[in-house]
Amino acid sequence: MTFSEIRQELINNAEEEFKNFTAKIVLTKMPMLGVRTPTVKKLAKEADESYLTSAPHYYEEVLVYGFALGRLKPRAKELFENLPRYLGFVDSWAAIDSPLSGMKAFKKEKEQCLSYIDDYLYDEREYFARFAAVALFNYIDETHIDGVIERYATVTAGRYYVDMAIAWGLSIAAVDFYDKVYAALKEGRFSDFITRKAVSKCRDSFRIPSERKKELKELLQKP
């Protein structure tokens, strides 16, 4: 499907009530139609290569762009060559997190993708760094966990959506690598905001035992 065809389908599937609900969460400055994610994903699967030369106007068109990019550029090199244009349209965390989950390159060429991530993680642009921080969720495993924590700890703090992604990543890592995450938090390797958000997310998790949640709470109470 062409860009214009997909736009028309998005308009046809717009829901005013859903738009009003989603707008409060997504907080984009772009015009929003109110199209549900399954429909967006379906249209992205039908987008042709020319879609990646388009200039999105609606928030949902950015979503389609991200999902289509992940499908049409399944190799690390070509994905990262095309990422700057996509991220240039992004002004919301949601336009990163959802499409990123479907980017095939992170499954096909995991190590190759990792070699590109640092350039984005340390980028001054908030959503470029947010993308990398969330992309690192793919590397929360035995082989990469130390590198993930080290990367998170060396990112300049103070950008809300980057800080929140790091806190989220730490809470995911704490499920299987609790001791490593706890040690990094205890050593004061993260800002107070990231530490508190990471602890909060850990305490909300059903996968972390209550005694560990208590230990984390006590960590916040220490002078």
Side-chain angles (χ1 to χ4, degrees):
M1 294 179 71
T2 65
F3 178 78
S4 59
E5 289 172 336
I6 289 176
R7 172 174 287 184
Q8 189 58 55
E9 282 300 305
L10 288 171
I11 292 172
N12 292 344
N13 284 276
E15 299 179 37
E16 186 69 18
E17 186 174 346
F18 184 69
K19 180 187 76 172
N20 294 336
F21 168 77
T22 306
K24 297 175 183 178
I25 301 171
V26 171
L27 301 177
T28 180
K29 294 178 181 178
M30 301 184 76
M32 182 180 286
L33 293 167
V35 182
R36 296 180 183 272
T37 302
T39 300
V40 170
K41 288 183 175 180
K42 179 178 180 296
L43 292 172
K45 288 180 180 179
E46 299 176 15
D48 59 32
E49 189 83 20
S50 68
Y51 200 93
L52 302 185
T53 66
S54 67
H57 172 70
Y58 295 106
Y59 163 75
E60 287 85 357
E61 290 178 328
V62 178
L63 287 182
V64 171
Y65 195 112
F67 283 117
L69 176 63
R71 176 179 66 85
L72 294 169
K73 304 297 180 183
R75 299 296 180 183
K77 185 175 184 296
E78 58 186 8
L79 171 65
F80 280 86
E81 284 176 347
N82 285 274
L83 267 178
R85 190 167 194 275
Y86 156 58
L87 293 175
F89 297 124
V90 169
D91 75 342
S92 165
W93 60 270
I96 289 174
D97 297 6
S98 294
L100 203 160
S101 65
M103 290 186 174
K104 295 182 178 181
F106 285 98
K107 297 178 177 63
K108 290 179 175 290
E109 296 183 336
K110 186 173 180 177
E111 296 304 320
Q112 291 90 330
C113 285
L114 184 59
S115 69
Y116 290 96
I117 283 179
D118 286 350
D119 287 341
Y120 289 79
L121 186 64
Y122 301 112
D123 197 294
E124 293 181 355
R125 290 167 289 188
E126 184 167 11
Y127 291 109
F128 279 60
R130 167 81 184 199
F131 174 89
V134 176
L136 283 173
F137 295 1
N138 292 287
Y139 301 90
I140 297 176
D141 55 40
E142 192 69 45
T143 301
H144 302 95
I145 184 59
D146 291 332
V148 170
I149 293 175
E150 180 62 27
R151 284 177 169 86
Y152 281 161
T154 53
V155 174
T156 301
R159 293 170 294 176
Y160 180 80
Y161 291 108
V162 181
D163 291 352
M164 288 296 289
I166 291 173
W168 182 15
L170 291 171
S171 71
I172 294 171
V175 174
D176 293 319
F177 304 100
Y178 176 80
D179 290 342
K180 291 179 181 292
V181 172
Y182 180 80
L185 294 173
K186 186 176 182 180
E187 290 167 7
R189 301 202 67 193
F190 298 95
S191 69
D192 182 68
F193 178 84
I194 292 175
T195 299
R196 290 185 176 278
K197 289 299 181 181
V199 169
S200 176
K201 288 179 178 294
C202 286
R203 295 184 68 208
D204 288 341
S205 173
F206 293 110
R207 302 173 64 195
I208 295 177
S210 57
E211 62 270 17
R212 289 183 170 176
K213 293 180 181 180
K214 181 180 178 181
E215 185 177 41
L216 287 166
K217 183 179 179 181
E218 292 172 350
L219 180 64
L220 294 182
Q221 297 170 343
K222 292 181 179 180

